[in-house]
Amino acid sequence: MQDLLLLAQDPAAWIALITLIIMEVVLGIDNLVFISILTNKLPAESRERARRIGIGLALIMRLALLGTVAWIVQLTNPVFELFGHGFSWKDMILIAGGLFLVWKATKEIHHSVDPIDHQEDFIASSATNTFAAAIGQILLLDLVFSVDSIITAVGMTEHLPIMVIAVIVAVTVMLIASNPLANFIEKNPTVVMLALGFLLMIGMTLIADGMGFHVPKGYIYAAMAFSGLVEMLNMFARKKKQADREKGTTRH
């Protein structure tokens, strides 16, 4: 308690907390897009519960990992060397998570682009996409993003209470935003393809980071924001054309 009071009186601690909260919220966007797409494939009555359980388990996982910060930091130590590059456990986790995202996004894009020829396969995969399977996939990606998030937090501050508060606030924001984002994606089919493209890009970025080629996150989020803006303009244009058609039908 005394340590918390001392931190509360330290302006640098407040700056670190605000910065870390913003970073954690931004890093959580990737996870939230994946959760939204995955849970939208479940029956309507199970979607919200799956999102809440998935995000709630993500909070528990991150808080548990924060309790082992010393071990988490050691994940950055090289385990073996290949082609002159040392690979750590963190690198291998990022590569595995990136490959999973690329596989998942490619599979969903394939079904979206060519649903007729693969209708039977799609029905079979949907049948296996149970509540438990969705939670399992959410947890798998939660682990990847949690490790990345905590290592980022450790690099920004050495105070564990600040990390805990930032994680709780960020996950709370994810919990609040999950339903509106998932509903928006469901109601706008073209946004689904855009979101799958985001997942593909994020997956490739994770693989690149794991291979030692760091891609500044600012470039990734700038590209996502620009693509989102273009899609928003397309949505306005479609609504305007639809309204004009309805007016023309009414006049006739």
Side-chain angles (χ1 to χ4, degrees), residues 11 17-18 73 87 111 126 128 141 165 167 192 208 212 219-220 227 233 245-246 250:
L17 176 61
I18 294 171
V73 172
F87 288 86
H111 285 312
S126 297
T128 59
L141 260 295
I165 294 171
V167 166
V192 175
Y219 293 157
I220 302 300
S227 302
L233 292 174
R245 288 196 195 98
E246 290 176 355
T250 304

Side-chain angles (χ1 to χ4, degrees), residues 26-30 201-202 216-226:
V26 171
L27 289 172
I29 293 173
D30 306 343
M201 181 172 62
I202 293 163
K217 292 287 174 63
Y219 293 157
I220 302 300
Y221 294 122
M224 290 173 68
F226 179 75

Side-chain angles (χ1 to χ4, degrees), residues 67-110:
T68 59
V69 166
W71 176 73
I72 290 291
V73 172
Q74 291 178 0
L75 291 178
T76 59
N77 297 331
V79 178
F80 65 92
E81 188 172 311
L82 188 64
F83 303 118
H85 174 68
F87 288 86
S88 65
W89 283 109
K90 179 201 171 187
D91 295 331
M92 289 184 279
I93 290 172
L94 290 179
I95 291 172
L99 288 172
F100 175 75
L101 267 185
V102 169
W103 170 77
K104 189 69 178 176
T106 302
K107 182 181 176 183
E108 295 301 329
I109 289 173
H110 187 58

Side-chain angles (χ1 to χ4, degrees), residues 238-250:
R238 284 195 294 270
K239 286 182 180 179
K240 182 70 168 57
K241 288 181 180 179
Q242 182 65 28
D244 290 342
R245 288 196 195 98
E246 290 176 355
K247 285 181 181 178
T249 304
T250 304

Side-chain angles (χ1 to χ4, degrees), residues 72-246:
I72 290 291
V73 172
Q74 291 178 0
L75 291 178
T76 59
N77 297 331
V79 178
F80 65 92
E81 188 172 311
L82 188 64
F83 303 118
H85 174 68
F87 288 86
S88 65
W89 283 109
K90 179 201 171 187
D91 295 331
M92 289 184 279
I93 290 172
L94 290 179
I95 291 172
L99 288 172
F100 175 75
L101 267 185
V102 169
W103 170 77
K104 189 69 178 176
T106 302
K107 182 181 176 183
E108 295 301 329
I109 289 173
H110 187 58
H111 285 312
S112 298
V113 171
D114 195 8
I116 298 177
D117 291 343
H118 303 275
Q119 188 172 7
E120 292 183 2
D121 294 337
F122 182 76
I123 293 172
S125 65
S126 297
T128 59
N129 190 32
T130 61
F131 187 87
I135 296 297
Q137 292 180 65
I138 290 172
L139 281 179
L140 178 63
L141 260 295
D142 279 344
L143 176 62
V144 176
F145 289 123
S146 293
V147 170
D148 193 27
S149 169
I150 289 171
I151 290 176
T152 301
V154 171
M156 293 183 65
T157 180
E158 58 183 12
H159 301 295
L160 186 60
I162 290 178
M163 297 182 206
V164 171
I165 294 171
V167 166
I168 291 174
V169 172
V171 174
T172 301
V173 171
M174 287 175 59
L175 196 59
I176 295 171
S178 62
N179 284 339
L181 178 62
N183 293 335
F184 178 76
I185 289 176
E186 184 185 13
K187 291 176 182 176
N188 298 276
T190 56
V191 176
V192 175
M193 187 61 71
L194 182 63
L196 289 171
F198 288 163
L199 291 182
L200 199 59
M201 181 172 62
I202 293 163
M204 292 302 297
T205 303
L206 291 176
I207 294 172
D209 279 345
M211 298 293 289
F213 301 98
H214 178 66
V215 181
K217 292 287 174 63
Y219 293 157
I220 302 300
Y221 294 122
M224 290 173 68
F226 179 75
S227 302
L229 178 61
V230 172
E231 179 58 29
M232 193 178 299
L233 292 174
N234 283 330
M235 289 170 62
F236 286 145
R238 284 195 294 270
K239 286 182 180 179
K240 182 70 168 57
K241 288 181 180 179
Q242 182 65 28
D244 290 342
R245 288 196 195 98
E246 290 176 355

Side-chain angles (χ1 to χ4, degrees), residues 32-49:
L32 201 54
V33 170
F34 177 77
I35 290 173
S36 298
I37 291 176
L38 192 62
T39 54
N40 278 348
K41 296 175 71 65
L42 293 172
E45 63 275 9
S46 302
R47 294 173 186 173
E48 184 176 353
R49 187 160 61 99

